[in-house]
Amino acid sequence: MNTNFIKLAVLLVVFSSCNKQKSSEDFGVNSSTASETENTESLALFKQKCYACHSVTTKSHDEIIAPPMIAVKKRYSMQFDNKEDFVNAVVAYASDPKAENALMIGAVNKFKAMPKQAFEEADLKKIATYIYENEIETPEWFEGHFQQNHKNGQGMGNGMGMGKNNNK
């Protein structure tokens, strides 16, 4: 009789563990959904806050009023090779966009420094993370322009400005 009781207790513990494990798996699915929701929110912020100036629908380099975001991503990725540094650098510049803090010297020479905006830091972090983690829409003309003007990645800035003391 004691043996049957022990077997029954062990079975209950095993079944109880299986149910808890299943609940943990279900929670993982919910986390993934939350991550997708965050990505969707970040994309919406990115389009709302950035595309007015950093448009992807311009017909040529001559029509733009600010560099396309793919150029920003390429330049910041050259200087900052990990997500945390990339996000912090983009947030720092967008929070206080002064010519002397610029990493994209050529863009500042052409367009001037970005006008200061009333961005929430949390929104900037979401946007910068989105830029780092995702493929960014590219204007049709961009690759040709980039190859012509920035052979082998050269000419994207001279290391002056915000990133001058940051080495990879």
Side-chain angles (χ1 to χ4, degrees), residues 56-96:
V56 295
T57 60
T58 56
K59 301 278 188 244
S60 75
H61 183 263
D62 297 330
E63 288 185 7
I64 60 177
I65 63 170
M69 290 308 291
I70 187 65
V72 174
K73 180 176 181 170
K74 282 182 179 249
R75 181 61 183 103
Y76 276 76
S77 293
M78 289 171 61
Q79 187 73 27
F80 303 101
D81 60 356
N82 68 67
K83 180 176 161 182
E84 181 179 359
D85 291 343
F86 178 97
V87 168
N88 288 339
V90 170
V91 168
Y93 182 73
S95 296
D96 190 21

Side-chain angles (χ1 to χ4, degrees), residues 8-28:
L8 181 61
V10 169
L11 282 174
L12 286 173
V13 169
V14 169
F15 285 128
S16 173
S17 296
C18 289
N19 285 339
K20 286 181 184 174
Q21 185 176 7
K22 185 170 175 39
S23 295
S24 296
E25 289 171 6
D26 290 342
F27 179 76

Side-chain angles (χ1 to χ4, degrees), residues 90-163:
V90 170
V91 168
Y93 182 73
S95 296
D96 190 21
K98 295 178 183 168
E100 61 268 17
N101 296 334
L103 186 58
M104 298 179 72
I105 305 304
V108 169
N109 289 338
K110 179 172 173 64
F111 307 110
K112 306 294 179 227
M114 178 178 141
K116 185 156 177 68
Q117 306 289 313
F119 294 130
E120 295 288 329
E121 185 175 345
D123 288 348
L124 286 175
K125 285 183 178 183
K126 289 175 186 176
I127 291 167
T129 299
Y130 180 85
I131 293 168
Y132 182 87
E133 293 178 343
N134 295 278
E135 287 190 34
I136 303 301
E137 281 185 276
T138 305
E140 290 179 18
W141 54 265
F142 178 74
E143 286 304 323
H145 166 78
F146 183 81
Q147 293 304 320
Q148 181 181 354
N149 293 290
H150 308 290
K151 294 181 181 16
N152 300 321
Q154 300 299 315
M156 288 291 289
N158 58 9
M160 294 171 48
M162 171 172 144

